[in-house]
Amino acid sequence: QVQLVESGGGLVQAGGSLRLSCVASGSILSINSMSWYRQAPGKQRELVATITSGGSINYADAVKGRFTMSRGNAKNTVYLLMDSLKPEDTAVYYCRGVITSTTFAYTYWGQGTQVTVSS
């Protein structure tokens, strides 16, 4: 069993910063990729950033230059540093992992953490 747990959300003024964390735990053989998604009220969940097992990182156009994804040395923890936050960044942010725990790779999701940016 694999679990993803996010933390670090909160309320911040426009222009401010927040750092989200996501820790993957359980029976993990390998991590193929880890991603951050977000879902604003009334909107579809959208991809924010992805880091592959090799360390390549890709960002959505809406966050390029403002958000930075990174991971810890153990590679089971990822971070999302969000700078220059805008009200439109308000959403529930989810961590997603494509993780091999036994034989096959499965997709796992965290429970989400709320980020609210006030104008």
Side-chain angles (χ1 to χ4, degrees), residues 35-107:
S35 303
W36 288 100
Y37 282 73
R38 66 185 182 185
Q39 187 166 20
K43 295 188 177 182
Q44 289 189 329
R45 192 172 296 189
E46 62 177 3
L47 177 64
V48 174
T50 297
I51 185 167
T52 66
S53 58
S56 298
I57 303 173
N58 291 294
Y59 299 94
D61 288 343
V63 306
K64 279 181 183 176
R66 299 189 298 121
F67 289 12
T68 303
M69 186 175 185
S70 61
R71 67 184 176 192
N73 290 333
K75 298 185 180 180
N76 68 323
T77 302
V78 292
Y79 306 97
L80 186 68
L81 176 61
M82 305 182 293
D83 294 319
S84 302
L85 282 162
K86 305 175 182 180
E88 51 263 44
D89 294 318
T90 295
V92 178
Y93 283 71
Y94 297 91
C95 179
R96 188 193 84 153
V98 179
I99 296 171
T100 301
S101 61
T102 53
T103 304
F104 301 103
Y106 293 96
T107 297

Side-chain angles (χ1 to χ4, degrees), residues 8-18 20 39 41 82 85-93 113-119:
L11 173 63
V12 65
Q13 287 189 332
S17 299
L18 280 175
L20 307 182
Q39 187 166 20
M82 305 182 293
L85 282 162
K86 305 175 182 180
E88 51 263 44
D89 294 318
T90 295
V92 178
Y93 283 71
T113 185
Q114 177 70 47
V115 171
T116 303
V117 184
S118 62
S119 57

